[in-house]
Amino acid sequence: MTKRDYYEVLGIPRDASPEAVKNAFRNLARQYHPDVNKAADAEEKFKEANEAYVVLSDQQRRAAYDRYGHAGINNMGGMPDFSNIDLSDLFGEFFGFGGMRGRRARNAPQRGQDLASRIRLTFEEAIFGVEKEIEITRDESCSTCKGSGSAPGTNPARCTTCDGNGEVRQVHQTFLGSMVQVVTCPTCNGSGKVIANPCHACRGRGLERKTFKKVVPIPAGVDSGTQVRLAGEGQPGINGGPNGNFFIEISVSPHKYFRRQGTDILLNLNINISQAVLGAEISVPTVDGIEKMKIPAGTQPGKVFNLKNKGVPRLRNNGRGDQLVIINMDVPTRISSEQRALFKKLADTLGSEAVPQEKSFLDRIKESLGG
């Protein structure tokens, strides 16, 4: 049977790059691999694509094929012996084992794991910032063996399974023939060394668990859910990789009077009827202390007054939010006989007509707050 042109088999132009050759074969392999495609001709198409890839991915064989066609390959001794070719990187995803890329990834430096803890702040601490002492528990290099994992006075030995390479070669029989797989050594887990006399302190890990205290500055303006990152304070890296990070999650206790809305602080404040009608100068609590504020005559319930720059500091910008003072009417439930007489006299002058309102008390508050 006449063989098809290899470029036609892979569906690529004759000037295709090596990466294009590999990608084309991978696409065909996914389509025709017998484990995926149960069609009668799937195995033959897979073998045909594999043959085309083996030739076109080899610079010398491709040059001979481009010049002389299939005859040029035959003059070079025909198709190569699969038992001498390591295709694990390319076929790993189809045969269920990791290839060279996976092995390199496992042995490459890796960043350590991140650690986290939670701290609770008072409302004022969250507003103005504070320094907090925290405890960090993580692995550190063993002080007894200096991280080697071996007992003092001894050294790790070269792994005899992989001869110190950290990897071993395995041969798998497939319908394409023998295929070589390079895997991490199961004896030394890729380190190339074995510990004959483990350190008694760390039991051969080379690491020991330590807890230490650290004073951490918490910036002004944090809120519940805010995370503070301590770079490099997490678990140690693997194979010389950098340490992970340590994250502190903030939880803020509620305040008796103040509520937070973004960078603004809300305060509900009761005034009496005479202050609302006649106007007054009152003392208003803020996170900075007592502030004087004027109440104009005729102030209505739900009126919101704005105390500039008395709110929460902005984490990523300069300045602060505002304190919004929401006025409520304090209606007395118990009054003296003298007060009753005065209210009755006032009532006679005001009349008894009830006037419907277009907007409710809550509507007026929402408008004042920009809602």
Side-chain angles (χ1 to χ4, degrees), residues 271-287:
I271 62 174
N272 62 46
I273 294 175
S274 65
Q275 289 173 321
V277 174
L278 302 175
E281 184 177 75
I282 62 174
S283 297
V284 179
T286 74
V287 291

Side-chain angles (χ1 to χ4, degrees), residues 22 44 85 115 153 164 197 207 224 236 280 293 353 370:
K22 179 181 286 189
E44 288 302 319
I85 298 178
L115 300 175
N197 299 300
L207 301 169
S224 291
M293 187 179 78
E353 183 181 0

Side-chain angles (χ1 to χ4, degrees), residues 114-344:
D114 294 333
L115 300 175
S117 70
R118 176 179 294 181
I119 62 173
R120 179 172 287 273
L121 305 180
T122 66
F123 190 86
E124 289 82 3
E125 287 175 336
I127 299 299
F128 296 111
V130 68
E131 288 189 342
K132 286 288 186 179
E133 185 178 74
I134 64 169
E135 284 191 350
I136 297 178
T137 301
R138 70 183 180 205
D139 288 331
E140 296 278 348
S141 180
C142 177
S143 57
T144 301
C145 67
K146 311 303 180 186
S148 70
S150 291
T154 66
N155 293 308
R158 174 180 292 185
C159 176
T160 56
T161 302
C162 64
D163 197 27
N165 294 318
E167 57 190 26
V168 293
R169 298 170 67 86
Q170 298 177 349
V171 179
H172 293 265
Q173 297 298 326
T174 74
F175 64 87
L176 294 174
S178 299
M179 295 187 63
V180 179
Q181 176 193 9
V182 181
V183 298
T184 300
C185 176
T187 302
C188 65
N189 294 319
S191 68
K193 300 177 181 179
V194 293
I195 299 174
N197 299 300
C199 170
H200 70 278
C202 65
R203 299 181 180 180
R205 292 180 64 233
L207 301 169
E208 59 182 343
R209 205 71 169 165
K210 291 185 178 180
T211 299
F212 61 94
K213 295 182 178 180
K214 185 178 183 67
V215 176
V216 179
I218 305 298
V222 297
D223 199 1
S224 291
T226 299
Q227 286 190 334
V228 177
R229 182 174 68 94
L230 305 181
E233 296 290 355
Q235 283 286 82
I238 300 172
N239 297 327
N243 284 13
N245 299 321
F246 191 94
F247 290 91
I248 303 172
E249 184 174 344
I250 304 298
S251 176
V252 181
S253 299
H255 194 274
K256 185 177 181 180
Y257 303 120
F258 300 124
R259 291 184 295 115
R260 182 169 173 172
Q261 180 176 278
T263 57
D264 292 333
I265 295 176
L266 307 184
L267 173 68
N268 284 282
L269 192 66
N270 287 353
I271 62 174
N272 62 46
I273 294 175
S274 65
Q275 289 173 321
V277 174
L278 302 175
E281 184 177 75
I282 62 174
S283 297
V284 179
T286 74
V287 291
D288 297 303
I290 299 298
E291 290 286 326
K292 293 294 184 180
M293 187 179 78
K294 288 185 177 182
I295 300 293
T299 295
Q300 299 296 312
K303 174 68 175 178
V304 177
F305 293 93
N306 195 332
L307 298 180
K308 289 288 187 181
N309 297 317
K310 294 298 180 182
V312 182
R314 297 181 177 90
L315 274 174
R316 295 177 178 83
N317 300 297
N318 295 326
R320 295 170 61 175
D322 303 328
Q323 178 166 310
L324 306 179
V325 182
I326 305 167
I327 297 300
N328 301 316
M329 193 67 66
D330 185 11
V331 179
T333 57
R334 300 179 65 181
I335 56 177
S336 67
S337 57
E338 181 181 1
Q339 289 172 330
R340 181 178 294 276
L342 291 172
F343 271 114
K344 184 172 176 54

Side-chain angles (χ1 to χ4, degrees), residues 4 8 35 58 93 244 266 268 283 301 323 355:
R4 286 202 297 158
E8 178 186 346
D35 288 346
D58 181 275
E93 58 184 289
L266 307 184
N268 284 282
S283 297
Q323 178 166 310
V355 181

Side-chain angles (χ1 to χ4, degrees), residues 10 18-33 46 49-50 53 87-94 99-101 104:
L10 296 183
E19 188 63 26
V21 172
K22 179 181 286 189
N23 290 337
F25 171 65
R26 278 181 169 167
N27 291 333
L28 290 174
R30 291 189 184 98
Q31 181 178 355
Y32 294 115
H33 191 281
F46 185 90
N50 178 72
Y53 170 75
L87 296 177
S88 59
D89 181 40
L90 193 61
F91 291 149
E93 58 184 289
F94 305 115
M100 292 291 289
R101 184 179 302 171
R104 285 195 297 267

